[in-house]
Amino acid sequence: MCGIVGAVAERNITAILLEGLKRLEYRGYDSAGVAVFSNNGTLERVRRNGKVAELEQALAGEPLVGRLGIAHTRWATHGAPCERNAHPHFSGSDLAVVHNGIIENHEALREQLKGLGYVFTSDTDTEVIAHLLQHKLKEQSDLTAALKSTVKELHGAYGLAVISAKQPDRLVAARSGSPLVIGLGLGENFLASDQLALRQVTDRFMYLEEGDIAEIRRDSVHIWDVNGQTVERETVQYRDGAEAADKGEYRHYMLKEIHEQPAVVQRTLENRLGHDHVLVQAFGPQAAELFAKVRNVQIVACGTSYHAGMVARYWLESLAGIPCQVEVASEFRYRKVVVQPDTLFVSISQSGETADTLAALRNAKELGFLGSLAICNVGISSLVRESDLTLLTQAGREIGVASTKAFTTQLVGLLLLTLSLGQVRGTLEAGVEAQLVEELRRLPTRLGEALAMDTTIEKVAELFADKHHTLFLGRGAQFPVAMEGALKLKEISYIHAEAYPAGELKHGPLALVDNDMPVVTVAPNNELLEKLKSNLQEVRARGGELVVFADEQANMSDGEGTHVINMPHINDVLAPILYTIPLQLLSYYVAVLKGTDVDQPRNLAKSVTVE
Ligand code: F6R
């Protein structure tokens, strides 16, 4: 997704803007640009299609020097990825705008502004903001006042930052549907769409809220809320030295994040487990009272987070006896939903800023749900702020675009939810909670054992490097794990991968199986194992090569065309968490063999803040 960085200081800010953009690269983008009010009194801009490194190279050749500037990484929504469409966008030679989000009424505004004589040089929705603001400046010369009047005419989502050569003492910004944070310095201030971009210059942040307009000068910050009232926003001091945005000893962020899973699962469990039970208050002070009333659960999420929700459905129904529905947010938000009485709305999101998930939560509030719970990795996200209850996963910042540690910590959070609901409602079988609490305590060690299979899996990955299609099979709660495995493989290696519940094989997909289509299966030692083994025979009989991740007690071994990788034995309830690890590693090593951009796969963004 797009990223914004801005600065107003007494020193040259170009290097700060560039470093900020580099720190936002993980979000995914296709072009980048910077505009600076230069020391000779004009706005100057450099934009490049492609990576920030190309922008950096261009700036080395034609340096920009100034004390006020804005910069942007663009992820194309309106208009192809190219230099002409890259931000900042200008109106005239004195006004520059960067924008995250989508302006839905851009066509009407464009026609209107063309009629007024404005000439468009890009295909973006953003350029209408620049010209509209320029037009408003004719009526009211103050930049901040003109921005306030401009945003009233914008429909859609925006986080935007503006500078003007005529008022070079300030940076102005507006937030509606797209996050913005002000970084506070000493005699200098900054702006970004994500505080990570500014950690190099400050650890003090002020988060803009929906509808806020901000005027940021070197030595002051003024904020007006959605009603135009002056407001103070809390200053937050950010401390997390341990989460430096570097790869450490690892070749890619993704591999680092895969290997962090024992530690972050451990962290997600901290302060949430009693001796033999889950601490329900971990979900918030009102959680016990609310959970006691829950008779149904509706889970909504996207992508990997949706897969976590699918696993949770098996847990909620089989352990806590609570009916559960799971739906992708982009569908849920647009359909007429019938809400069963006493249904808890649960959203799951790594970022907490995914546009569809947020919109689904906002719709849910109108639909008569009992309450809302967010399982989220970012405590300062919109999803968390707008939900009644929150369980924060403690995955730490996830930089690889393909989600790994966020998923396993979400699963941990969802299992804590299942046990909490069962505990409060008295629907768990005797001893189950104590046993699972014990197993959860052992989980980080088990995950470490799975990670130790790294080199075995690296070898197995060779089977896939020249393949174009792969099938993933699982049964029960391992079906969503197979879906997540298939998603990882397609995201980062670009190999077509599909997941099926193994029992569905002969209802269609078996037709695809031949010796060019490897089949990956997760086979824990549960009551479905024998049925799964029969499904695997069906694959072998068609010449399909099998890779099976099997419980060490499942009595499965290598054979012709069958590669069995033994997994440490684990309680069946926790098996989805453990079996995720080898599938992540498999995708990772296949991608490395194929030489793809593992951390920033093509066409994808880390946080999907537009529809
Ligand atoms: C896949 C992936 C995406 C996200 C999805 C939801 O590896 O990362 O599918 O899971 O875009 O994002 P969050 O969890 O931030 O709402």
Side-chain angles (χ1 to χ4, degrees):
M1 281 301 91
C2 307
I4 289 177
V5 193
V8 52
E10 240 183 333
R11 51 178 164 156
N12 177 22
I13 42 70
T14 313
I16 295 172
L17 297 179
L18 210 53
E19 173 62 22
L21 291 187
K22 285 185 194 160
R23 287 165 177 250
L24 294 179
E25 283 193 290
Y26 78 95
R27 292 165 64 93
Y29 67 102
D30 43 55
S31 56
V34 56
V36 162
F37 176 68
S38 76
N39 289 349
N40 60 25
T42 54
L43 281 191
E44 288 176 16
R45 159 177 79 176
V46 176
R47 299 179 292 176
R48 283 295 177 273
N49 199 27
K51 299 281 179 191
V52 173
E54 285 166 49
L55 178 69
E56 188 173 24
Q57 207 176 356
L59 284 166
E62 54 181 306
L64 294 185
V65 181
R67 297 175 205 157
L68 170 73
I70 48 178
H72 192 261
T73 45
R74 172 175 188 255
W75 191 70
T77 56
H78 295 72
C82 61
E83 194 170 312
R84 194 168 56 83
N85 287 333
H87 301 208
H89 288 287
F90 276 20
S91 180
S93 56
D94 60 317
L95 198 63
V97 175
V98 289
H99 162 227
N100 287 356
I102 287 178
I103 303 303
E104 283 170 350
N105 59 335
H106 72 103
E107 278 171 351
L109 288 172
R110 179 180 277 253
E111 287 316 305
Q112 193 184 319
L113 288 159
K114 275 186 184 167
L116 291 166
Y118 290 93
V119 177
F120 282 77
T121 57
S122 79
D123 309 316
T124 64
D125 51 341
T126 302
E127 197 179 351
V128 302
I129 307 174
H131 294 316
L132 185 60
L133 181 59
Q134 185 71 280
H135 194 61
K136 296 284 178 192
L137 280 163
K138 294 193 170 134
E139 294 156 15
Q140 49 210 141
S141 57
D142 180 72
L143 183 63
T144 317
L147 181 65
K148 286 181 187 170
S149 144
T150 299
V151 296
K152 289 198 180 114
E153 294 189 31
L154 303 178
H155 302 166
Y158 52 82
L160 51 96
V162 181
I163 55 171
S164 160
K166 292 189 178 145
Q167 294 168 59
D169 56 343
R170 73 189 85 167
L171 173 66
V172 292
R175 170 192 169 145
S176 181
S178 198
L180 281 180
V181 58
I182 296 170
L184 302 168
L186 290 175
E188 54 186 18
N189 287 312
F190 308 92
L191 178 80
S193 49
D194 182 330
Q195 48 85 16
L196 184 73
L198 304 178
R199 292 301 309 281
Q200 39 152 342
V201 280
T202 185
D203 61 355
R204 290 187 308 132
F205 298 99
M206 213 180 251
Y207 295 89
L208 293 188
E209 296 197 0
E210 284 299 274
D212 281 357
I213 305 268
E215 181 183 271
I216 305 156
R217 296 170 191 251
R218 245 188 1 85
D219 48 9
S220 68
V221 170
H222 281 105
I223 302 175
W224 293 265
D225 70 9
V226 69
N227 302 313
Q229 303 297 320
T230 303
V231 279
E232 298 276 324
R233 298 287 176 223
E234 191 192 346
T235 300
V236 179
Q237 184 114 20
Y238 196 86
R239 289 189 192 87
D240 90 323
E243 283 170 15
D246 67 63
K247 293 189 273 248
E249 67 194 84
Y250 296 97
R251 184 163 161 198
H252 295 99
Y253 284 111
M254 184 180 177
L255 188 61
K256 173 175 180 248
E257 289 162 2
I258 290 173
H259 279 269
E260 279 170 2
Q261 289 176 108
V264 295
V265 161
Q266 174 80 51
R267 253 202 275 165
T268 302
L269 290 170
E270 267 163 26
N271 304 322
R272 290 172 173 164
L273 297 180
H275 164 62
D276 57 0
H277 63 284
V278 174
L279 302 175
V280 178
Q281 60 269 40
F283 290 86
Q286 336 84 297
E289 199 185 328
L290 188 75
F291 285 179
K293 298 184 199 143
V294 173
R295 283 198 281 156
N296 292 284
V297 171
Q298 169 72 61
I299 297 179
V300 170
C302 302
T304 289
S305 299
Y306 166 70
H307 295 153
M310 285 186 69
V311 173
R313 181 170 65 145
Y314 287 89
W315 287 339
L316 282 160
E317 299 207 345
S318 67
L319 295 169
I322 298 176
C324 174
Q325 299 193 46
V326 192
E327 191 163 353
V328 287
S330 53
E331 287 299 314
F332 180 89
R333 66 180 286 194
Y334 286 119
R335 98 185 156 78
K336 193 163 179 336
V337 176
V338 177
V339 181
Q340 297 288 333
D342 302 320
T343 302
L344 176 68
F345 181 89
V346 178
S347 59
I348 311 170
S349 174
Q350 188 284 124
S351 61
E353 300 293 350
T354 300
D356 285 321
T357 311
L358 259 175
L361 168 66
R362 289 171 184 162
N363 287 358
K365 291 193 171 169
E366 313 294 315
L367 293 174
F369 282 95
L370 183 64
S372 57
L373 163 71
I375 299 208
C376 188
N377 194 38
V378 181
I380 48 178
S381 62
S382 307
L383 201 70
V384 167
R385 279 205 298 270
E386 295 180 29
S387 297
D388 301 326
L389 302 176
T390 303
L391 186 87
L392 287 182
T393 48
Q394 300 292 335
R397 182 157 293 272
E398 191 178 61
I399 292 193
V401 164
S403 193
T404 52
K405 59 179 180 167
F407 179 68
T408 41
T409 53
Q410 285 167 349
L411 289 178
V412 168
L414 288 160
L415 187 52
L416 295 177
L417 173 66
T418 305
L419 295 175
S420 298
L421 284 169
Q423 180 197 118
V424 171
R425 298 182 69 257
T427 50
L428 294 171
E429 274 177 35
V432 164
E433 187 172 13
Q435 188 197 354
L436 288 176
V437 164
E438 198 50 47
E439 296 283 352
L440 277 168
R441 286 193 217 284
R442 283 200 284 262
L443 182 61
T445 312
R446 292 284 101 83
L447 297 181
E449 287 162 18
L451 286 166
M453 298 168 7
D454 191 287
T455 39
T456 314
I457 295 169
E458 188 174 3
K459 187 99 193 84
V460 171
E462 289 166 16
L463 288 172
F464 295 78
D466 63 341
K467 298 292 187 289
H468 299 290
H469 308 277
T470 305
L471 210 52
F472 283 71
L473 301 177
R475 295 194 77 125
Q478 297 290 359
F479 166 50
V481 170
M483 291 176 78
E484 175 57 11
L487 179 66
K488 284 288 91 83
L489 190 70
K490 56 189 142 190
E491 275 181 302
I492 60 168
S493 73
Y494 316 145
I495 293 176
H496 170 222
E498 282 199 71
Y500 273 91
E504 273 290 290
L505 199 57
K506 50 181 161 310
H507 298 290
L510 196 55
L512 292 169
V513 172
D514 62 14
N515 55 12
D516 256 344
M517 176 117 169
V519 177
V520 180
T521 313
V522 278
N525 193 13
N526 63 18
E527 74 282 358
L528 293 172
L529 180 65
E530 291 311 315
K531 291 190 189 305
L532 186 73
K533 284 181 179 170
S534 317
N535 300 141
L536 300 187
Q537 288 310 319
E538 291 159 8
V539 171
R540 273 309 298 140
R542 274 84 190 170
E545 196 145 10
L546 279 169
V547 173
V548 189
F549 295 98
D551 189 295
E552 59 197 7
Q553 297 176 5
N555 287 330
M556 296 184 77
S557 46
D558 279 355
E560 204 197 326
T562 306
H563 311 266
V564 175
I565 295 121
N566 279 318
M567 298 287 295
H569 178 67
I570 190 155
N571 178 295
D572 195 40
V573 172
L574 275 75
I577 309 177
L578 186 78
Y579 280 73
T580 296
I581 304 262
L583 299 189
Q584 293 170 342
L585 286 170
L586 181 65
S587 302
Y588 172 77
Y589 283 115
V590 175
V592 168
L593 283 171
K594 293 199 72 181
T596 56
D597 190 344
V598 172
D599 285 331
Q600 290 172 42
R602 68 185 182 200
N603 307 341
L604 296 180
K606 182 63 187 163
S607 179
V608 186
T609 50
V610 293
E611 257 191 280

